[in-house]
Amino acid sequence: MSVTASVEERIQQIRTEVAGLHAELVRYGLVAWTAGNISGRVPGTEFFVIKPSGVGYDDLTAGNMILCTLDGSPVPGTPGAGLAPSSDTAAHAYVYRHMPDVGGVVHTHSPYATAWAARGESVPCVLTAMADEFGGEIPVGPFAVIGDDSIGRGIVSTLAGHRSRAVLMRNHGPFTVGRDARDAVKAAVMLEDVARTVHLSRQLGEPVPLDPADIDSLFHRYQNVYGQPAGPAPAPPAAPPQPAASTPAPTTSRSA
């Protein structure tokens, strides 16, 4: 593969980012053994990077991430190309082809979100955190076989016209998307958190739904106002002035 130095730099950056982000899935208890995967689109190219199939999380490195074209084919002669890519590669590729604003895709089997998927039930929007992050309920996608682009088709059709960055694929588990891989990982973490909380609330009774107007308001505030403004970080405060050093008094003691 012949690419410019600039593209090669971007590929290496996404390799490093995607490899490192897999540790976050383990950290937040979203995966077991080798299940789950993260991919990241290489900006300005027709490539994305995804983890290899069946490789332990402790063994994932930038060098064994697999560079793929947007049809899901590994790029020959690149690092990791000798390994089989994730079994969900075709699904990720389909999402990238049909959702051009998506820069990252994550799949986990996180317990609470997957439990909702097993029931084929959407998570209702009953928390401000859900309104903030997802702009409504977490929808359920259709059951789809693993290994071809059927899952990708289900993700795209379910999220079409929906503000949610997460979908529960029925009898399988959650998939999340984001503007980049890190954003998609954040969505996966937040999805599991709200899926757990809503499940717990149901043990106490029926959760109270949020008013649609309040959901809109919360979503707009979080997406457009929350957090630090864009731009350079503010300069750190100046160190307080130090007192002038005093002249030590003469001493007659001997050095030890």
Side-chain angles (χ1 to χ4, degrees), residues 207-232:
V208 178
L210 286 170
D211 184 271
D214 290 331
I215 294 174
D216 290 343
S217 176
L218 288 162
F219 182 74
H220 179 270
R221 179 200 65 88
Y222 187 76
Q223 299 298 323
N224 298 286
V225 179
Y226 176 82
Q228 299 304 311

PDB file of all heavy atoms in Angstrom, residues 207-232:
ATOM      1  N   PRO A 207     -40.650   3.341  36.666  1.00  0.00           N
ATOM      2  CA  PRO A 207     -39.961   4.635  36.568  1.00  0.00           C
ATOM      3  C   PRO A 207     -40.864   5.699  35.941  1.00  0.00           C
ATOM      4  O   PRO A 207     -41.725   5.406  35.112  1.00  0.00           O
ATOM      5  CB  PRO A 207     -38.766   4.333  35.654  1.00  0.00           C
ATOM      6  CG  PRO A 207     -38.587   2.852  35.719  1.00  0.00           C
ATOM      7  CD  PRO A 207     -39.955   2.284  35.917  1.00  0.00           C
ATOM      8  N   VAL A 208     -40.645   6.942  36.335  1.00  0.00           N
ATOM      9  CA  VAL A 208     -41.434   8.064  35.825  1.00  0.00           C
ATOM     10  C   VAL A 208     -40.758   8.606  34.567  1.00  0.00           C
ATOM     11  O   VAL A 208     -39.589   9.010  34.619  1.00  0.00           O
ATOM     12  CB  VAL A 208     -41.544   9.177  36.880  1.00  0.00           C
ATOM     13  CG1 VAL A 208     -42.335  10.368  36.324  1.00  0.00           C
ATOM     14  CG2 VAL A 208     -42.182   8.641  38.156  1.00  0.00           C
ATOM     15  N   PRO A 209     -41.439   8.603  33.429  1.00  0.00           N
ATOM     16  CA  PRO A 209     -40.800   9.090  32.194  1.00  0.00           C
ATOM     17  C   PRO A 209     -40.579  10.594  32.215  1.00  0.00           C
ATOM     18  O   PRO A 209     -41.295  11.333  32.901  1.00  0.00           O
ATOM     19  CB  PRO A 209     -41.797   8.691  31.101  1.00  0.00           C
ATOM     20  CG  PRO A 209     -43.117   8.605  31.805  1.00  0.00           C
ATOM     21  CD  PRO A 209     -42.815   8.128  33.200  1.00  0.00           C
ATOM     22  N   LEU A 210     -39.589  11.033  31.470  1.00  0.00           N
ATOM     23  CA  LEU A 210     -39.348  12.463  31.307  1.00  0.00           C
ATOM     24  C   LEU A 210     -40.262  13.033  30.230  1.00  0.00           C
ATOM     25  O   LEU A 210     -40.592  12.351  29.251  1.00  0.00           O
ATOM     26  CB  LEU A 210     -37.890  12.707  30.901  1.00  0.00           C
ATOM     27  CG  LEU A 210     -36.825  12.527  31.981  1.00  0.00           C
ATOM     28  CD1 LEU A 210     -35.440  12.568  31.355  1.00  0.00           C
ATOM     29  CD2 LEU A 210     -36.959  13.614  33.040  1.00  0.00           C
ATOM     30  N   ASP A 211     -40.646  14.284  30.393  1.00  0.00           N
ATOM     31  CA  ASP A 211     -41.432  14.965  29.379  1.00  0.00           C
ATOM     32  C   ASP A 211     -40.568  15.188  28.137  1.00  0.00           C
ATOM     33  O   ASP A 211     -39.397  15.549  28.255  1.00  0.00           O
ATOM     34  CB  ASP A 211     -41.911  16.311  29.924  1.00  0.00           C
ATOM     35  CG  ASP A 211     -42.825  17.021  28.957  1.00  0.00           C
ATOM     36  OD1 ASP A 211     -42.293  17.774  28.106  1.00  0.00           O
ATOM     37  OD2 ASP A 211     -44.045  16.848  29.055  1.00  0.00           O
ATOM     38  N   PRO A 212     -41.105  14.955  26.931  1.00  0.00           N
ATOM     39  CA  PRO A 212     -40.313  15.131  25.706  1.00  0.00           C
ATOM     40  C   PRO A 212     -39.664  16.506  25.594  1.00  0.00           C
ATOM     41  O   PRO A 212     -38.530  16.622  25.113  1.00  0.00           O
ATOM     42  CB  PRO A 212     -41.346  14.900  24.595  1.00  0.00           C
ATOM     43  CG  PRO A 212     -42.351  13.982  25.205  1.00  0.00           C
ATOM     44  CD  PRO A 212     -42.436  14.396  26.634  1.00  0.00           C
ATOM     45  N   ALA A 213     -40.351  17.566  26.035  1.00  0.00           N
ATOM     46  CA  ALA A 213     -39.773  18.908  25.958  1.00  0.00           C
ATOM     47  C   ALA A 213     -38.558  19.021  26.872  1.00  0.00           C
ATOM     48  O   ALA A 213     -37.570  19.688  26.531  1.00  0.00           O
ATOM     49  CB  ALA A 213     -40.817  19.956  26.329  1.00  0.00           C
ATOM     50  N   ASP A 214     -38.620  18.374  28.019  1.00  0.00           N
ATOM     51  CA  ASP A 214     -37.484  18.393  28.936  1.00  0.00           C
ATOM     52  C   ASP A 214     -36.317  17.600  28.357  1.00  0.00           C
ATOM     53  O   ASP A 214     -35.151  17.984  28.516  1.00  0.00           O
ATOM     54  CB  ASP A 214     -37.884  17.824  30.292  1.00  0.00           C
ATOM     55  CG  ASP A 214     -38.835  18.738  31.051  1.00  0.00           C
ATOM     56  OD1 ASP A 214     -38.756  19.968  30.847  1.00  0.00           O
ATOM     57  OD2 ASP A 214     -39.662  18.221  31.834  1.00  0.00           O
ATOM     58  N   ILE A 215     -36.617  16.499  27.687  1.00  0.00           N
ATOM     59  CA  ILE A 215     -35.560  15.720  27.039  1.00  0.00           C
ATOM     60  C   ILE A 215     -34.842  16.574  26.002  1.00  0.00           C
ATOM     61  O   ILE A 215     -33.616  16.608  25.937  1.00  0.00           O
ATOM     62  CB  ILE A 215     -36.147  14.449  26.388  1.00  0.00           C
ATOM     63  CG1 ILE A 215     -36.683  13.501  27.465  1.00  0.00           C
ATOM     64  CG2 ILE A 215     -35.092  13.746  25.537  1.00  0.00           C
ATOM     65  CD1 ILE A 215     -37.407  12.285  26.914  1.00  0.00           C
ATOM     66  N   ASP A 216     -35.623  17.286  25.181  1.00  0.00           N
ATOM     67  CA  ASP A 216     -35.023  18.155  24.158  1.00  0.00           C
ATOM     68  C   ASP A 216     -34.124  19.210  24.787  1.00  0.00           C
ATOM     69  O   ASP A 216     -33.013  19.476  24.309  1.00  0.00           O
ATOM     70  CB  ASP A 216     -36.118  18.837  23.336  1.00  0.00           C
ATOM     71  CG  ASP A 216     -36.871  17.875  22.441  1.00  0.00           C
ATOM     72  OD1 ASP A 216     -36.369  16.761  22.208  1.00  0.00           O
ATOM     73  OD2 ASP A 216     -37.965  18.244  21.978  1.00  0.00           O
ATOM     74  N   SER A 217     -34.605  19.816  25.857  1.00  0.00           N
ATOM     75  CA  SER A 217     -33.855  20.881  26.513  1.00  0.00           C
ATOM     76  C   SER A 217     -32.560  20.340  27.121  1.00  0.00           C
ATOM     77  O   SER A 217     -31.489  20.947  26.977  1.00  0.00           O
ATOM     78  CB  SER A 217     -34.715  21.531  27.599  1.00  0.00           C
ATOM     79  OG  SER A 217     -33.986  22.500  28.316  1.00  0.00           O
ATOM     80  N   LEU A 218     -32.657  19.207  27.795  1.00  0.00           N
ATOM     81  CA  LEU A 218     -31.476  18.600  28.413  1.00  0.00           C
ATOM     82  C   LEU A 218     -30.451  18.194  27.365  1.00  0.00           C
ATOM     83  O   LEU A 218     -29.244  18.405  27.539  1.00  0.00           O
ATOM     84  CB  LEU A 218     -31.902  17.388  29.244  1.00  0.00           C
ATOM     85  CG  LEU A 218     -32.651  17.707  30.542  1.00  0.00           C
ATOM     86  CD1 LEU A 218     -33.402  16.469  31.035  1.00  0.00           C
ATOM     87  CD2 LEU A 218     -31.692  18.202  31.612  1.00  0.00           C
ATOM     88  N   PHE A 219     -30.924  17.606  26.290  1.00  0.00           N
ATOM     89  CA  PHE A 219     -30.018  17.154  25.232  1.00  0.00           C
ATOM     90  C   PHE A 219     -29.286  18.347  24.613  1.00  0.00           C
ATOM     91  O   PHE A 219     -28.067  18.301  24.411  1.00  0.00           O
ATOM     92  CB  PHE A 219     -30.809  16.404  24.165  1.00  0.00           C
ATOM     93  CG  PHE A 219     -29.953  15.840  23.049  1.00  0.00           C
ATOM     94  CD1 PHE A 219     -29.169  14.725  23.260  1.00  0.00           C
ATOM     95  CD2 PHE A 219     -29.949  16.427  21.792  1.00  0.00           C
ATOM     96  CE1 PHE A 219     -28.384  14.199  22.234  1.00  0.00           C
ATOM     97  CE2 PHE A 219     -29.174  15.923  20.762  1.00  0.00           C
ATOM     98  CZ  PHE A 219     -28.388  14.802  20.993  1.00  0.00           C
ATOM     99  N   HIS A 220     -30.019  19.412  24.341  1.00  0.00           N
ATOM    100  CA  HIS A 220     -29.404  20.594  23.738  1.00  0.00           C
ATOM    101  C   HIS A 220     -28.353  21.182  24.675  1.00  0.00           C
ATOM    102  O   HIS A 220     -27.250  21.553  24.250  1.00  0.00           O
ATOM    103  CB  HIS A 220     -30.462  21.639  23.410  1.00  0.00           C
ATOM    104  CG  HIS A 220     -29.891  22.889  22.813  1.00  0.00           C
ATOM    105  ND1 HIS A 220     -29.488  23.970  23.590  1.00  0.00           N
ATOM    106  CD2 HIS A 220     -29.621  23.232  21.525  1.00  0.00           C
ATOM    107  CE1 HIS A 220     -29.008  24.907  22.811  1.00  0.00           C
ATOM    108  NE2 HIS A 220     -29.075  24.495  21.551  1.00  0.00           N
ATOM    109  N   ARG A 221     -28.684  21.310  25.956  1.00  0.00           N
ATOM    110  CA  ARG A 221     -27.735  21.883  26.913  1.00  0.00           C
ATOM    111  C   ARG A 221     -26.460  21.041  26.988  1.00  0.00           C
ATOM    112  O   ARG A 221     -25.347  21.579  26.916  1.00  0.00           O
ATOM    113  CB  ARG A 221     -28.378  21.952  28.298  1.00  0.00           C
ATOM    114  CG  ARG A 221     -27.453  22.508  29.385  1.00  0.00           C
ATOM    115  CD  ARG A 221     -27.934  22.121  30.772  1.00  0.00           C
ATOM    116  NE  ARG A 221     -27.865  20.686  30.973  1.00  0.00           N
ATOM    117  CZ  ARG A 221     -26.776  20.056  31.422  1.00  0.00           C
ATOM    118  NH1 ARG A 221     -25.672  20.722  31.695  1.00  0.00           N
ATOM    119  NH2 ARG A 221     -26.782  18.745  31.569  1.00  0.00           N
ATOM    120  N   TYR A 222     -26.617  19.743  27.107  1.00  0.00           N
ATOM    121  CA  TYR A 222     -25.445  18.881  27.288  1.00  0.00           C
ATOM    122  C   TYR A 222     -24.572  18.859  26.037  1.00  0.00           C
ATOM    123  O   TYR A 222     -23.345  18.867  26.122  1.00  0.00           O
ATOM    124  CB  TYR A 222     -25.897  17.464  27.630  1.00  0.00           C
ATOM    125  CG  TYR A 222     -24.759  16.546  28.007  1.00  0.00           C
ATOM    126  CD1 TYR A 222     -24.148  16.633  29.255  1.00  0.00           C
ATOM    127  CD2 TYR A 222     -24.291  15.580  27.115  1.00  0.00           C
ATOM    128  CE1 TYR A 222     -23.113  15.789  29.604  1.00  0.00           C
ATOM    129  CE2 TYR A 222     -23.255  14.735  27.452  1.00  0.00           C
ATOM    130  CZ  TYR A 222     -22.668  14.844  28.699  1.00  0.00           C
ATOM    131  OH  TYR A 222     -21.633  14.006  29.034  1.00  0.00           O
ATOM    132  N   GLN A 223     -25.222  18.825  24.874  1.00  0.00           N
ATOM    133  CA  GLN A 223     -24.469  18.719  23.629  1.00  0.00           C
ATOM    134  C   GLN A 223     -23.831  20.045  23.210  1.00  0.00           C
ATOM    135  O   GLN A 223     -22.835  20.044  22.467  1.00  0.00           O
ATOM    136  CB  GLN A 223     -25.387  18.220  22.501  1.00  0.00           C
ATOM    137  CG  GLN A 223     -25.989  16.854  22.755  1.00  0.00           C
ATOM    138  CD  GLN A 223     -24.950  15.748  22.870  1.00  0.00           C
ATOM    139  OE1 GLN A 223     -23.939  15.752  22.165  1.00  0.00           O
ATOM    140  NE2 GLN A 223     -25.193  14.787  23.748  1.00  0.00           N
ATOM    141  N   ASN A 224     -24.374  21.159  23.684  1.00  0.00           N
ATOM    142  CA  ASN A 224     -23.910  22.448  23.186  1.00  0.00           C
ATOM    143  C   ASN A 224     -23.349  23.399  24.241  1.00  0.00           C
ATOM    144  O   ASN A 224     -22.667  24.362  23.879  1.00  0.00           O
ATOM    145  CB  ASN A 224     -25.072  23.165  22.474  1.00  0.00           C
ATOM    146  CG  ASN A 224     -25.566  22.396  21.270  1.00  0.00           C
ATOM    147  OD1 ASN A 224     -24.909  22.368  20.236  1.00  0.00           O
ATOM    148  ND2 ASN A 224     -26.724  21.763  21.403  1.00  0.00           N
ATOM    149  N   VAL A 225     -23.615  23.134  25.512  1.00  0.00           N
ATOM    150  CA  VAL A 225     -23.203  24.062  26.557  1.00  0.00           C
ATOM    151  C   VAL A 225     -22.290  23.399  27.579  1.00  0.00           C
ATOM    152  O   VAL A 225     -21.324  24.009  28.048  1.00  0.00           O
ATOM    153  CB  VAL A 225     -24.430  24.673  27.278  1.00  0.00           C
ATOM    154  CG1 VAL A 225     -23.993  25.626  28.386  1.00  0.00           C
ATOM    155  CG2 VAL A 225     -25.330  25.376  26.278  1.00  0.00           C
ATOM    156  N   TYR A 226     -22.574  22.165  27.932  1.00  0.00           N
ATOM    157  CA  TYR A 226     -21.850  21.472  29.010  1.00  0.00           C
ATOM    158  C   TYR A 226     -20.353  21.355  28.695  1.00  0.00           C
ATOM    159  O   TYR A 226     -19.954  21.163  27.547  1.00  0.00           O
ATOM    160  CB  TYR A 226     -22.441  20.068  29.190  1.00  0.00           C
ATOM    161  CG  TYR A 226     -21.730  19.215  30.211  1.00  0.00           C
ATOM    162  CD1 TYR A 226     -22.008  19.345  31.561  1.00  0.00           C
ATOM    163  CD2 TYR A 226     -20.766  18.295  29.813  1.00  0.00           C
ATOM    164  CE1 TYR A 226     -21.360  18.560  32.498  1.00  0.00           C
ATOM    165  CE2 TYR A 226     -20.113  17.515  30.745  1.00  0.00           C
ATOM    166  CZ  TYR A 226     -20.407  17.647  32.080  1.00  0.00           C
ATOM    167  OH  TYR A 226     -19.754  16.871  33.000  1.00  0.00           O
ATOM    168  N   GLY A 227     -19.542  21.424  29.734  1.00  0.00           N
ATOM    169  CA  GLY A 227     -18.108  21.226  29.574  1.00  0.00           C
ATOM    170  C   GLY A 227     -17.370  22.520  29.341  1.00  0.00           C
ATOM    171  O   GLY A 227     -17.925  23.622  29.423  1.00  0.00           O
ATOM    172  N   GLN A 228     -16.110  22.380  29.021  1.00  0.00           N
ATOM    173  CA  GLN A 228     -15.248  23.537  28.820  1.00  0.00           C
ATOM    174  C   GLN A 228     -15.373  24.049  27.383  1.00  0.00           C
ATOM    175  O   GLN A 228     -15.547  23.268  26.456  1.00  0.00           O
ATOM    176  CB  GLN A 228     -13.793  23.168  29.106  1.00  0.00           C
ATOM    177  CG  GLN A 228     -13.559  22.705  30.532  1.00  0.00           C
ATOM    178  CD  GLN A 228     -14.010  23.741  31.547  1.00  0.00           C
ATOM    179  OE1 GLN A 228     -13.656  24.912  31.437  1.00  0.00           O
ATOM    180  NE2 GLN A 228     -14.810  23.317  32.519  1.00  0.00           N
ATOM    181  N   PRO A 229     -15.288  25.367  27.194  1.00  0.00           N
ATOM    182  CA  PRO A 229     -15.387  25.908  25.833  1.00  0.00           C
ATOM    183  C   PRO A 229     -14.201  25.470  24.996  1.00  0.00           C
ATOM    184  O   PRO A 229     -13.112  25.203  25.515  1.00  0.00           O
ATOM    185  CB  PRO A 229     -15.375  27.424  26.055  1.00  0.00           C
ATOM    186  CG  PRO A 229     -14.711  27.612  27.382  1.00  0.00           C
ATOM    187  CD  PRO A 229     -15.099  26.413  28.208  1.00  0.00           C
ATOM    188  N   ALA A 230     -14.422  25.386  23.694  1.00  0.00           N
ATOM    189  CA  ALA A 230     -13.338  25.021  22.788  1.00  0.00           C
ATOM    190  C   ALA A 230     -12.307  26.136  22.755  1.00  0.00           C
ATOM    191  O   ALA A 230     -12.609  27.296  22.994  1.00  0.00           O
ATOM    192  CB  ALA A 230     -13.894  24.777  21.381  1.00  0.00           C
ATOM    193  N   GLY A 231     -11.082  25.753  22.426  1.00  0.00           N
ATOM    194  CA  GLY A 231     -10.015  26.745  22.348  1.00  0.00           C
ATOM    195  C   GLY A 231      -8.880  26.367  23.260  1.00  0.00           C
ATOM    196  O   GLY A 231      -8.925  25.345  23.951  1.00  0.00           O
ATOM    197  N   PRO A 232      -7.843  27.182  23.288  1.00  0.00           N
ATOM    198  CA  PRO A 232      -6.686  26.860  24.110  1.00  0.00           C
ATOM    199  C   PRO A 232      -7.027  26.842  25.584  1.00  0.00           C
ATOM    200  O   PRO A 232      -7.887  27.601  26.047  1.00  0.00           O
ATOM    201  CB  PRO A 232      -5.688  27.966  23.776  1.00  0.00           C
ATOM    202  CG  PRO A 232      -6.524  29.095  23.262  1.00  0.00           C
ATOM    203  CD  PRO A 232      -7.683  28.449  22.561  1.00  0.00           C
TER     204      PRO A 232
END
